[in-house]
Amino acid sequence: MAFVSKTVEVDAGAAAILGIVADFESYPHWNDEVKAVYILARYNDGRPSQLRVDTEIQGTPGTFIQAVYYPTPVQIQTVMQQGELFTKQEQLFSVVEMGSTSLLTVDLDVEVSLPIPNMMMKKVVNDVLDHLADNLKNRAEQLSGGR
C-alpha cells in the first residue's frame, strides 16, 4: 500500500486548474501515459461520473474504470472500480487559490495486485505522482499564459 501526496504552486487560477482536471477526455494531450479517456456516465448536471481510462505506464498497457466524485467545489476525486495491476487506486485533486497563484495538491493512494516490496512501490508511486502533478502544473500555466 502506498499513499503519497504532492503540493505544487501553479501560476494559474483554481478554476483553470480544476477545469483541466475535469476535462478528462483531454488528458492524453498533457499526460503521455494516458492514451485515451472515455466518459461512460454523467451526473444529472452533466459532469462525468464514470470513466474508462486507457494507459501505458512504463511499457505496460492498462484499462481502468473509475468513478468520479466532486467532494467540494475545489476538489475532484477519482476512485478505481475496475482495473489491471491495482486492487486500489484513488486520486484526490485539491486546489486553493492564493492571489495570483494557486496551490494544487494531488493525493494518490494505490495498492497493487503484484507482490512488490513496499519501498519499491512507494518509489514508483512517487514517480507517477511527480509526473502527474508536474504535467498538470505545466498544462495549467501554458493555458493561462503564466497569468
Side-chain angles (χ1 to χ4, degrees):
M1 178 161 94
F3 176 84
V4 293
S5 182
K6 181 173 183 171
T7 300
V8 293
E9 187 172 356
V10 182
D11 194 12
I17 297 167
L18 289 167
I20 294 166
V21 174
D23 185 8
F24 298 104
E25 293 170 305
S26 292
Y27 277 31
H29 298 293
W30 59 269
N31 188 340
D32 57 352
E33 294 176 340
V34 176
K35 299 305 175 190
V37 177
Y38 306 95
I39 296 174
L40 303 178
R42 294 181 181 272
Y43 291 107
N44 290 338
D45 65 5
R47 296 181 299 176
S49 63
Q50 188 180 49
L51 311 170
R52 172 184 158 175
V53 182
D54 294 342
T55 64
E56 187 173 326
I57 301 170
Q58 297 180 351
T60 304
T63 297
F64 304 93
I65 304 299
Q66 296 183 321
V68 183
Y69 303 102
Y70 306 86
T72 73
V74 293
Q75 293 181 314
I76 297 174
Q77 180 181 26
T78 62
V79 177
M80 186 186 74
Q81 297 175 310
Q82 179 184 339
E84 303 148 4
L85 305 175
F86 300 102
T87 57
K88 177 182 184 181
Q89 183 195 52
E90 297 181 8
Q91 300 175 95
L92 179 65
F93 300 87
S94 304
V95 182
V96 176
E97 194 150 345
M98 301 183 55
S100 63
T101 64
S102 298
L103 291 180
L104 165 67
T105 300
V106 183
D107 298 327
L108 183 57
D109 192 0
V110 175
E111 293 178 12
V112 293
S113 55
L114 304 171
I116 298 175
N118 279 346
M119 202 111 154
M120 180 184 275
M121 185 61 210
K122 192 125 181 166
K123 166 80 170 100
V124 169
V125 172
N126 258 319
D127 289 349
V128 168
L129 179 62
D130 285 345
H131 182 76
L132 174 63
D134 292 343
N135 281 353
L136 181 53
K137 172 184 172 19
N138 291 338
R139 179 72 171 174
E141 290 177 347
Q142 174 191 33
L143 293 179
S144 73
R147 285 226 287 180

